[in-house]
Amino acid sequence: MAVDIVTFGCRLNAFEAEVIRSKAEAAGLYDTIVINSCAVTNEAVAQARQSIRKLKRERPEARIVVTGCAAQTQAAMFADMAEVDRVVGNDDKMRGEAWRDTRDAFDLGASEKIAVSDIMAVKEMAPHLVDGYASGLPRVFVQVQNGCDHRCTFCIIPFGRGNSRSVPMGAVVDQVRTLVERGHAEVVLTGVDLTSYGADLPGAPKLGMLTKQILRHVPDLRRLRISSIDSIEADDDLLDAIAEDARLMPHLHLSLQSGDDMILKRMKRRHSRNDAIAFCEQVRRLRPDVVFGADIIAGFPTETEEMFSRSLDLVEQCGLTFLHVFPYSPRPGTPAARMPQVAGPEIKARAKRLRAAGEAALRQRLQAETGATREVLIESEGQGRTEHYLAVAIAGERVGSVVSLRIAGSDGERLTT
């Protein structure tokens, strides 16, 4: 049997899962399940552990390998699980030799489970082109950056992924060109801290320059999309590209985390509430139809009801359409875990209120689309996505194509034609 990948967490993990599959299968592994874990919340770690136990019950003969951010930060915990045969580090998982070593360890019956190197020692990043993407797959991802140099007080991810490192611009452009030649209509640039792109490269190019180079040198690219960014680091070239090139999709997902200035300081974020609002206003002047999404944490330590209300009304102040809500989860070893905590039931209640605000904002945007003509990327036989990443219920269109459709209305969750 082939290598099966079970992925938790972010889009970057989803991209890396395809690299893992190709490396592990090339190494000769078989009847192996790889858990590509996430460490962003306690719940994500718990879900990985539950999945491991369930899969071992269902496939007792299969070998189970755990990798990803949680494996990097909590290797011993996973190694102590009887169901786990191997723990592979988060940088190691992208290297063929790690999977060849895993195969050899299995063949020799080695007792040592942990194969996790020092993530902070990793200084460079090699490009990884996914050969496993099926030709004509509508949307594909290109990893241009990994790691993070910032130390937000709630975040464990830098210890799972290391410091920021970037793929050279020429290599990124070549990857995008290859993917377009294979028939992929939309490319998404992804990374851990995208707007820190290039700081470690000669000349320190920024994300905006990379974006312009892709658009200039890959003229046949239909759609370019950027995943989550830190708005305070958005550079002038990126804003120019947003304003000037329709192929750069009018949809930005922002790492905002809170709408209260004191909480932002305690999080060790680098922007203020007014910075976030001003950025959204600036981008709307440049691209009036832009749609914003955002990450917001509910119940960060010391957050009062008044502080929370400022996060809640940020949905309207910034005009957010997509909301990704994280109930605060203390991660061991982070400064926020040592701060006075908000009670668990209150965290859940605040997260529920934030999600309700996000759902209302999305419904409002869907209703406003009635009568508009949108360029829709057909993702499957039943669904496509507009330029603004709004889901559209469709039928009869070729998967992978981009078609102009007039929006007739919505069902509350998706647009209809």
Side-chain angles (χ1 to χ4, degrees):
M1 296 178 67
V3 176
D4 293 320
I5 315 291
V6 179
T7 293
F8 296 88
C10 62
R11 289 178 176 179
L12 184 54
N13 252 15
F15 165 83
E16 291 173 343
E18 296 304 318
V19 178
I20 292 168
R21 188 191 311 279
S22 64
K23 301 286 188 186
E25 291 181 349
L29 286 173
Y30 62 94
D31 199 9
T32 300
I33 303 170
V34 179
I35 307 294
N36 194 20
S37 65
C38 172
V40 72
T41 64
N42 290 329
E43 182 181 1
V45 178
Q47 287 174 347
R49 287 170 60 86
Q50 291 165 6
S51 181
I52 289 166
R53 295 188 183 102
K54 180 175 182 290
L55 289 165
K56 194 64 175 179
R57 289 195 300 270
E58 294 173 349
R59 292 175 55 183
E61 301 304 316
R63 294 184 174 103
I64 293 183
V65 180
V66 185
T67 188
C69 290
Q72 183 71 39
T73 57
Q74 297 175 267
M77 180 192 71
F78 285 106
D80 285 342
M81 295 181 69
E83 298 88 350
V84 173
D85 297 283
R86 186 84 163 172
V87 182
V88 174
N90 214 13
D91 183 63
D92 308 89
K93 72 182 182 183
M94 306 295 282
R95 305 177 187 278
E97 57 264 33
W99 299 104
R100 290 191 292 272
D101 290 346
T102 296
R103 176 204 62 201
D104 293 344
F106 290 163
D107 290 346
L108 295 171
S111 59
E112 176 57 47
K113 287 186 177 183
I114 297 177
V116 177
S117 59
D118 180 5
I119 197 74
M120 293 302 178
V122 182
K123 303 299 181 185
E124 295 182 348
M125 184 180 168
H128 295 283
L129 179 63
V130 175
D131 293 321
Y133 282 142
S135 178
L137 189 69
R139 179 179 299 104
V140 291
F141 297 87
V142 172
Q143 182 184 16
V144 304
Q145 184 273 340
N146 202 349
C148 185
D149 290 338
H150 310 302
R151 296 294 182 265
C152 296
T153 59
F154 56 84
C155 189
I156 196 70
I157 298 307
F159 304 100
R161 288 195 170 270
N163 292 317
S164 182
R165 50 206 186 274
S166 312
V167 177
M169 279 199 301
V172 175
V173 172
D174 288 343
Q175 287 189 68
V176 174
R177 183 182 295 112
T178 298
L179 290 168
V180 170
E181 289 171 352
R182 292 179 181 177
H184 305 294
E186 182 173 300
V187 171
V188 184
L189 302 184
T190 187
V192 174
D193 183 26
L194 259 186
T195 36
S196 71
Y197 174 84
D200 57 319
L201 297 177
K206 293 184 180 294
L207 179 63
M209 181 180 291
L210 173 65
T211 302
K212 284 187 170 182
Q213 290 295 313
I214 292 169
L215 293 168
R216 180 178 300 121
H217 294 291
V218 193
D220 293 334
L221 173 63
R222 296 286 300 272
R223 294 158 68 120
L224 181 65
R225 197 177 293 276
I226 294 173
S227 59
S228 181
I229 66 168
D230 196 338
S231 59
I232 201 68
E233 288 189 321
D235 63 283
D236 289 343
D237 278 336
L238 181 59
L239 295 173
D240 287 345
I242 291 168
E244 296 171 0
D245 200 315
R247 292 179 297 157
L248 182 57
M249 296 294 95
H251 164 236
L252 293 175
H253 192 84
L254 311 178
S255 178
L256 298 183
Q257 310 306 347
S258 176
D260 181 80
D261 284 337
M262 181 56 71
I263 292 297
L264 288 168
K265 287 182 180 179
R266 289 172 179 164
M267 288 177 167
K268 208 175 178 181
R269 301 293 296 169
R270 288 158 296 127
H271 71 272
S272 68
R273 173 191 177 85
N274 286 340
D275 289 332
I277 295 170
F279 177 79
C280 293
E281 291 174 347
Q282 179 184 18
V283 175
R284 277 202 179 86
R285 287 193 295 270
L286 297 171
R287 192 83 171 261
D289 68 330
V290 70
V291 164
F292 292 107
D295 295 332
I296 298 183
I297 295 174
F300 184 82
T302 77
E303 182 185 72
T304 64
E305 175 63 26
E306 184 180 3
M307 291 169 169
F308 169 73
S309 70
R310 285 191 274 273
S311 288
L312 196 61
D313 70 18
L314 198 65
V315 178
E316 181 177 353
Q317 291 293 311
C318 284
L320 304 177
T321 295
F322 301 101
L323 218 58
H324 194 178
V325 177
F326 292 87
Y328 173 75
S329 177
R331 307 303 294 125
T334 59
R338 300 189 295 271
M339 297 178 186
Q341 304 291 304
V342 176
E346 184 61 31
I347 293 175
K348 290 181 180 179
R350 291 177 187 176
K352 183 177 180 180
R353 290 162 64 191
L354 269 174
R355 291 191 182 106
E359 291 164 1
L362 177 58
R363 287 194 299 270
Q364 183 178 4
R365 176 69 196 203
L366 292 173
Q367 292 168 2
E369 290 288 294
T370 300
T373 298
R374 298 300 184 201
E375 298 298 307
V376 180
L377 173 66
I378 309 304
E379 298 177 322
S380 66
E381 292 183 2
Q383 179 168 293
R385 295 270 179 183
T386 70
E387 308 95 311
H388 308 97
Y389 206 66
L390 296 165
V392 186
I394 53 93
E397 302 290 351
R398 182 175 62 83
V399 174
S401 62
V402 179
V403 296
S404 293
L405 296 176
R406 184 174 174 81
I407 306 303
S410 77
D411 60 10
E413 295 181 354
R414 299 190 296 176
L415 297 171
T416 55
T417 59

